[in-house]
Amino acid sequence: ATIGTHGDVKLTTVDAAAAAAHFEVEADGNITLDAAGDIVLEAGGDDLTLDADNFTFTSATSQKPSVTFADTANDADGSRLIFSKNRGAAGQDADLITAMQFKSYNDAGTPELINYGQIIPKIHDASDGVESGQIIFQVQAHGGGNETGLMLTGGSQDDEVDVEIGLGSASVTKIHGTLTMGSTAAMTNAGLLS
């Protein structure tokens, strides 16, 4: 351990055999990092693994917490946010891969969060060589639970995506601009056939 002039401390592990000299903190209780400044994690091996059931980020600052993924490589590619599902066995039709949910309270301030919307990606067809996916966009529909307003499905053949818009005959679908079928303008924004 090295203690600096102003009390800063550096712990260094050294393995004489040139192997990885690991450092582990094993606590029979909680571990708290309470920093007056920032907390920086540096992984020279490029991997940071967290094994826990729940991660919670809170902030009393407006428009925070903010999570940023910054790809600084000088190329045309970008970063990735990957959600994977591994049931430890073969995937099945209708398997839910993840669910991105958007929750808040109603005007009564009830203690229960309302799920106002969610994005659900699923396996549509898990057949080997087919692997058809499905993404479902849902919103809370006047207290009736989350209902599907947009659904994208991999279709029944290569290079096909089926789309369903709206829910029920009372749903209203608004298109701003011209509706084009294939490469041909079919209807104007005034509702007239082109």
Side-chain angles (χ1 to χ4, degrees):
T2 302
I3 300 178
T5 304
H6 302 288
D8 51 303
V9 178
K10 181 177 182 180
L11 300 177
T12 305
T13 62
V14 178
D15 192 307
H22 300 300
F23 177 72
E24 179 178 345
V25 177
E26 183 175 345
D28 187 17
N30 298 333
I31 296 176
T32 302
L33 299 177
D34 187 357
D38 297 329
I39 295 176
V40 179
L41 301 177
E42 298 179 0
D46 293 334
D47 293 319
L48 180 64
T49 302
L50 305 175
D51 184 0
D53 289 343
N54 300 291
F55 298 89
T56 302
F57 301 86
T58 62
S59 174
T61 304
S62 177
Q63 300 184 36
K64 304 293 182 181
S66 173
V67 179
T68 302
F69 298 89
D71 181 343
T72 59
N74 185 16
D75 59 24
D77 221 333
S79 57
R80 303 286 189 271
L81 181 61
I82 300 173
F83 298 90
S84 65
K85 165 66 177 177
N86 182 359
R87 58 161 60 212
Q92 303 294 318
D93 293 357
D95 273 1
L96 175 70
I97 297 173
T98 190
M100 296 181 63
Q101 299 181 326
F102 307 95
K103 297 184 177 184
S104 191
Y105 297 97
N106 62 17
D107 62 2
T110 57
E112 180 181 356
L113 283 166
I114 305 298
N115 188 20
Y116 281 98
Q118 59 187 9
I119 302 173
I120 305 173
K122 302 175 70 174
I123 296 176
H124 172 242
D125 190 338
S127 302
D128 186 24
V130 176
E131 294 95 11
S132 175
Q134 186 176 69
I135 297 182
I136 301 169
F137 295 82
Q138 295 184 332
V139 294
Q140 182 77 200
H142 281 260
N146 282 269
E147 302 290 355
T148 301
L150 175 63
M151 182 164 60
L152 311 175
T153 305
S156 57
Q157 63 184 25
D158 191 17
D159 296 329
E160 174 191 338
V161 176
D162 297 331
V163 180
E164 292 186 32
I165 301 175
L167 176 68
S169 59
S171 295
V172 177
T173 301
K174 182 181 291 186
I175 299 175
H176 296 277
T178 300
L179 175 64
T180 300
M181 309 292 287
S183 59
T184 304
M187 185 173 291
T188 69
N189 62 359
L192 303 175
L193 293 176
S194 297

